[in-house]
Amino acid sequence: LPGLLAMLLSQKYVPSAKLQDSPQWYQDAMHALLGFCTGYMIYDSFMGYIVEVWQPGKGPVLSADDWMFLAHHILTTLYMTSSRWIKAGHISAMVLMYNGEFSAPVMNLHFVLEKAMEQDCYKDATWLPTLFTYNEQVFSLLYIICRVVVSPFVIG
């Protein structure tokens, strides 16, 4: 998140700016950041939506929610790749990435709490479901603010 913010603050904010007008160090760093994000999306899609839902003899069995998240990963990968390919739109891609990653710590805590509640060693922790519920509400609110409310305004 700090490296992404440093990149965004280092150049004039023009969402449709052409990459070749930027210094070489900036172009290299932008390719690294967008490449890292693209790699993560591919990895997360494979691990979360193929490996974790694999059923022998059937293959991956996806729920309606899984298809939605998988579509999000595919579209994000296409957006990051296309901005690198056409050498424009990289600033808007990085702004969306920054807004999305702003909610990541709360999302990661959500995942940890969810997995903790599945463990026998936490079955007597009466506070855990309450903490999970609060975290779920905070994450939902932060997600909506960062990704639904703010993002359309900053890229437009």
Side-chain angles (χ1 to χ4, degrees), residues 19 27-28 30-36 38-39 77-90 93:
L19 183 59
Q27 293 178 41
D28 294 341
M30 186 279 310
H31 281 295
L33 285 168
L34 293 181
F36 181 81
T38 301
T77 298
L78 290 172
Y79 186 36
M80 299 292 167
T81 303
S82 69
S83 69
R84 293 174 69 200
W85 186 15
I86 65 172
K87 296 182 172 83
H90 56 284

Side-chain angles (χ1 to χ4, degrees), residues 87-106:
K87 296 182 172 83
H90 56 284
I91 294 176
S92 65
M94 289 191 303
V95 166
L96 291 175
M97 190 188 329
Y98 183 82
N99 284 345
E101 289 306 309
F102 209 77
S103 62
V106 181

Side-chain angles (χ1 to χ4, degrees), residues 2 4 10 13-15 20-21 37 40 45 62 71 76 82 97 106 113 118 123 125 140 153:
L4 190 53
S10 71
Y13 180 72
V14 180
Q20 57 267 35
D21 295 340
C37 180
Y40 170 76
S45 297
L62 301 172
T76 300
S82 69
M97 190 188 329
V106 181
L113 292 172
E118 296 172 1
K123 67 180 178 199
S140 297
F153 290 108

Side-chain angles (χ1 to χ4, degrees), residues 3-85:
L4 190 53
L5 181 61
M7 287 288 295
L8 289 170
L9 294 175
S10 71
Q11 301 293 306
K12 184 177 176 185
Y13 180 72
V14 180
S16 60
K18 292 182 179 180
L19 183 59
Q20 57 267 35
D21 295 340
S22 302
Q24 188 61 46
W25 68 266
Y26 180 85
Q27 293 178 41
D28 294 341
M30 186 279 310
H31 281 295
L33 285 168
L34 293 181
F36 181 81
C37 180
T38 301
Y40 170 76
M41 288 292 166
I42 293 168
Y43 165 81
D44 199 39
S45 297
F46 181 75
M47 294 305 292
Y49 305 108
I50 296 176
V51 172
E52 292 215 7
V53 297
W54 188 269
Q55 293 183 7
K58 292 183 180 180
V61 178
L62 301 172
S63 70
D65 286 346
D66 291 337
W67 282 108
M68 180 181 65
F69 285 111
L70 189 56
H72 157 75
H73 282 69
I74 291 168
L75 292 173
T76 300
T77 298
L78 290 172
Y79 186 36
M80 299 292 167
T81 303
S82 69
S83 69
R84 293 174 69 200
W85 186 15

